Amino acid sequence: AAIDRKTKETDIRIKLNLDGDGMHDISTGVPFFDHMLTLFAAHGFLDLSIDASGDLDVDSHHTVEDVGLVLGDTLNLALKDRKGIVRFGHAVTPMDDALAAVTIDLSNRPFLVYNVGCPTCTVGAFNVDLAREFFRAFATRGGMNFHVNLLYGENEHHILESIFKATGRAL
């Protein structure tokens, strides 16, 4: 599936192949977010192309959230009527000191549970709270009952990396 979406704040093009092998070409203008989306695609064996630009002179909030919206829309389009899919997915994924569990139900009944604390709330220039906004948008538009549980972790980079990897694997 592929979707293009342009608003006053962002211009986003996404192509998604659920039956891929992890090929990715991701550019959002937010380097840490690109890294997380790359891990999501690679660990989920999803072919994913994202070309996004946004009002990064303001901050990265619109870009990150809108990528979640468009990625959710693209997933929803790729799932079509959802007949014949394996509805449930679960993955527990470590990254050094962090361990995250992600459980997904592609029920078309969107809901996000996000049990993640953040000790310092930033990774470089990336605000960790934006990950929650991304996942909320992705779950809502993708029609997912989506549960993220951080079991433990100290390093914010490792925490988010374990979450994005687990999300790819669960999907």
Side-chain angles (χ1 to χ4, degrees), residues 7-142:
T7 68
K8 289 191 300 186
E9 292 89 13
T10 61
D11 186 3
I12 300 170
R13 285 164 297 293
I14 296 182
K15 293 180 186 175
L16 173 66
N17 177 7
L18 296 174
D19 298 315
D21 58 9
M23 300 292 291
H24 51 272
D25 181 16
I26 298 169
S27 177
T28 67
V30 183
F32 181 78
F33 187 46
D34 291 354
H35 175 49
M36 294 298 108
L37 292 169
T38 296
L39 296 169
F40 163 75
H43 285 265
F45 301 102
L46 308 167
D47 291 346
L48 181 61
S49 172
I50 299 176
D51 182 22
S53 59
D55 57 355
L56 297 177
D57 55 319
V58 175
D59 71 8
S60 56
H61 182 105
H62 292 136
T63 300
V64 172
E65 183 178 31
D66 286 6
V67 166
L69 293 170
V70 178
L71 184 57
D73 287 342
T74 308
L75 173 66
N76 196 36
L77 183 62
L79 291 171
K80 300 180 180 159
D81 63 7
R82 298 177 188 238
K83 290 185 178 171
I85 66 168
V86 176
R87 233 179 75 182
F88 299 96
H90 177 75
V92 179
T93 306
M95 176 58 201
D96 294 346
D97 58 290
L99 185 65
V102 172
T103 305
I104 295 173
D105 177 5
L106 296 170
S107 61
N108 214 10
R109 293 176 49 173
F111 196 84
L112 175 67
V113 173
Y114 194 78
N115 292 318
V116 179
C118 59
T120 62
C121 294
T122 61
V123 177
F126 187 83
N127 182 330
V128 174
D129 283 340
L130 290 179
R132 178 193 333 245
E133 295 304 315
F134 166 78
F135 287 120
R136 179 179 296 129
F138 183 47
T140 300
R141 295 299 260 281

